[in-house]
Amino acid sequence: MARMNDPSESAISLIRTARRIVAFSGAGISTEAGIPDFRSPRGVYSNSDAVEWLSASGFRRDPAAFYRASMDLFSTIARAEPTDAHRLLVRLEEMGKVEAVVTQNIDGLHAAAGSSKVYELHGTWRTGRCSECGAFHNMLPLYDRILQGGTDAPACCLCSAPVRPDIVLFEELLPVEAWQGAVEAVGRCDLMLVLGSSLVVYPAAELPMMAVSAGAKLVIVNLEETSYDRAAAAVVHGRLGEFARAALAALSPAPPAPPAS
Ligand code: APR
Ligand code: ZN
């Protein structure tokens, strides 16, 4: 078990030799972009009724309460930039090593960083749909209207029912195509790279063991221990930014030697 003062060489050498990596990210990959995670001491769930407002029944009961409680998070996401860990996955994709990025995050930072195949298991904050007629809505202008006090809960442009973001709320199923894509990629990978997840929410948390059962190695980079650490070929407990910078340095080609003088 390597510590972060010397980013785990075994994790980096497993990444170096892997040919088909599936990266599996959680909220921990975006905390250094300023977006809180969920279960750390100052995470989203430190606000006790957060689970209530992040539920489908909570939204149906009181859409305005859903937006009151989630606009801080959405405004933070709107200002966030990809981190070095997001950039590490783009670099690995440029090296032809990435099968897919599977994320539990709704912040869109993997695509913003340049990852091209991203499965968003818990949906996205960017788009939404009418809770009645299902009409598609681009959520960004609607968030602006809420922030400017123009509305408490945006209404559908077709039927005036409340509009909701395309995020998977508690009591809801994962988007089928994202889940199927993720499971297929996991079945093909030779390395599952878990970045910043407590691995406690199912079915997403089944994926690392699916990868191991399919013969892949497991690498976990997370501040805290997870219940899957024992199944991992390498575990790095520490900050993802530090690990990503060390991995980027280790994986980047050495600068050409100066011409002999
Ligand atoms: N570097 C490394 N690890 C970090 C960092 C960091 N900078 N910041 C936080 N972490 C770790 C935390 O220690 C924690 O173990 O990331 C993990 C984040 O865990 P959670 O807050 O539980 O987030 P996540 O695993 O993504 O939750 C999964 O739960 O409620 C649902 O839909 C929600 O998608 C979310 C899902
Ligand atoms: Zn509608």
Side-chain angles (χ1 to χ4, degrees):
M1 205 80 74
R3 281 184 310 286
M4 269 311 277
N5 50 7
D6 165 22
S8 156
E9 276 315 309
S10 56
I12 293 175
S13 58
L14 285 166
I15 291 171
R16 188 183 279 115
T17 50
R19 293 191 315 284
R20 294 182 312 285
I21 298 172
V22 167
F24 180 74
S25 67
I29 199 173
S30 298
T31 53
E32 292 173 57
I35 302 172
D37 66 11
F38 293 90
R39 294 171 181 82
S40 288
R42 287 190 302 285
V44 169
Y45 294 154
S46 54
N47 161 355
S48 56
D49 58 6
V51 176
E52 166 55 21
W53 55 259
L54 264 177
S55 70
S57 50
F59 183 88
R60 275 194 301 276
R61 206 175 12 265
D62 189 346
F66 168 85
Y67 282 106
R68 266 198 308 279
S70 50
M71 277 316 296
D72 273 358
L73 181 63
F74 293 157
S75 309
T76 305
I77 291 175
R79 293 189 299 271
E81 295 291 334
T83 67
D84 287 328
H86 293 98
R87 279 187 278 276
L88 170 62
L89 297 183
V90 176
R91 180 85 191 90
L92 292 176
E93 183 173 327
E94 288 162 354
M95 296 166 77
K97 287 175 170 290
V98 172
E99 195 68 28
V101 175
V102 178
T103 187
Q104 302 169 91
N105 301 339
I106 62 169
D107 57 33
L109 291 184
H110 285 297
S115 287
S116 60
K117 192 188 281 184
V118 183
Y119 294 111
E120 295 177 309
L121 295 183
H122 293 166
T124 175
W125 76 299
R126 285 185 177 285
T127 59
R129 61 187 184 279
C130 170
S131 53
E132 288 298 325
C133 73
F136 172 87
H137 288 70
N138 172 7
M139 293 304 292
L140 302 194
L142 301 181
Y143 296 139
D144 288 342
R145 279 198 37 227
I146 294 172
L147 291 172
Q148 287 146 18
T151 176
D152 290 339
C156 172
C157 52
L158 299 181
C159 75
S160 304
V163 172
R164 50 157 296 167
D166 283 331
I167 59 180
V168 177
L169 299 173
F170 281 113
E171 305 154 10
E172 292 184 328
L173 296 175
L174 271 55
V176 174
E177 57 286 351
W179 177 251
Q180 278 173 349
V183 169
E184 281 158 26
V186 163
R188 296 192 299 269
C189 78
D190 60 3
L191 178 68
M192 162 68 89
L193 180 57
V194 173
L195 303 174
S197 179
S198 60
L199 297 176
V200 298
V201 172
Y202 289 81
E206 283 169 14
L207 292 172
M209 285 323 284
M210 277 187 194
V212 171
S213 320
K217 290 214 171 48
L218 176 60
V219 167
I220 298 175
V221 184
N222 200 56
L223 266 180
E224 294 163 345
E225 284 190 19
T226 77
S227 53
Y228 289 90
D229 285 2
R230 281 187 308 281
V235 179
V236 182
H237 285 153
R239 299 182 65 75
L240 266 161
E242 261 177 65
F243 176 78
R245 285 184 286 278
L248 281 163
L251 295 166
S252 300
S261 50

